[in-house]
Amino acid sequence: MVHVERLHGLIREVYEAGLITEGNFEFRSGMRALKLIDRDRVLSDTHIASRLGYAIAKHFFLNRIDVIATPSVWGAGLAQWVGFFLDPRRSVVYPTPSGGSVTLSESAREMITDKRVLIVDNLILSGKTIQDFVRTVSASGGRPIGIGALADISGREFPIPTLGLLNEWLDIYDPKVEPDRGLGVPVTQIGY
């Protein structure tokens, strides 16, 4: 598990960089959060991005990961940092867009065949992309062993261990389960 004291320091850095906004935010998934991370800027700060990647790598370090795979361009930067901190020679695999779905190239499939694969993305929104990508990795011969992201706002359960690194600090909640949470704070609809 990620060392809590270090993670508190990291969260403080993310706040000080102005990358977290407070409010009551509703996502397309129906989930809400009392804090919102600036998903467009957080990974452009290489110092913070490297520390976030380190925290995810540390969480999965004992899982003997062979390959990192990411389903999106947004997760690519984070996946690189996670791979670097697991082992600087660790491969990172990216999909090829194909008519609205994602596929893996022949060389990417060769890289994951019979390998333990960690799936990394910046945010898990509805969960559909991750779910589909886990199936793609499995169908291509890889063995998905975990999912790591900055936050999981999907509200879904996945069949493999999933880490939403900042979930606790973003105060993500399901308004159907916790209807009183965020009362008195106007709800802002988020487009993702």
Side-chain angles (χ1 to χ4, degrees):
M1 187 46 112
V2 176
H3 190 269
V4 174
E5 190 174 305
R6 283 191 181 166
L7 196 50
H8 280 291
L10 175 56
I11 298 301
R12 191 172 43 255
E13 278 187 58
V14 173
Y15 263 106
E16 289 170 0
L19 300 172
I20 293 182
T21 305
E22 295 193 15
N24 193 357
F25 306 97
E26 183 170 38
F27 303 96
R28 286 191 319 212
S29 66
M31 298 293 286
R32 291 189 184 169
L34 298 178
K35 296 176 187 82
L36 180 69
I37 191 161
D38 187 334
R39 72 179 190 155
D40 297 323
R41 289 182 39 224
V42 71
L43 294 175
S44 66
D45 182 317
T46 55
H47 174 72
I48 290 175
S50 69
R51 296 211 42 219
L52 293 165
Y54 175 80
I56 293 172
K58 186 172 182 177
H59 180 83
F60 288 102
F61 187 76
L62 296 177
N63 292 94
R64 297 177 307 131
I65 294 155
D66 299 313
V67 178
I68 314 306
T70 183
S72 73
V73 69
W74 299 280
L78 184 60
Q80 288 288 338
W81 284 115
V82 173
F84 177 80
F85 286 114
L86 286 171
D87 178 341
R89 295 176 307 267
R90 192 66 64 229
S91 297
V92 178
V93 174
Y94 309 92
T96 304
S98 175
S101 64
V102 294
T103 58
L104 294 172
S105 68
E106 185 177 329
S107 63
R109 287 192 305 274
E110 289 172 5
M111 290 170 66
I112 67 169
T113 299
D114 297 324
K115 301 287 194 271
R116 296 171 59 83
V117 181
L118 175 64
I119 309 296
V120 173
D121 207 356
N122 67 335
L123 298 175
I124 302 172
L125 302 174
S126 70
K128 182 178 179 342
T129 299
I130 288 289
Q131 195 172 44
D132 291 347
F133 194 63
V134 167
R135 280 192 216 109
T136 297
V137 167
S138 295
S140 299
R143 290 179 284 158
I145 54 92
I147 300 166
L150 298 180
D152 175 2
I153 56 176
S154 70
R156 287 189 185 202
E157 292 290 325
F158 296 97
I160 56 179
T162 304
L163 171 67
L165 182 67
L166 304 177
N167 275 28
E168 181 181 332
W169 285 274
L170 296 177
D171 292 323
I172 296 171
Y173 69 100
D174 184 342
K176 294 175 193 154
V177 177
E178 300 178 84
D180 295 336
R181 200 144 175 219
L183 279 179
V185 181
V187 175
T188 302
Q189 300 291 322
I190 302 300
Y192 52 86

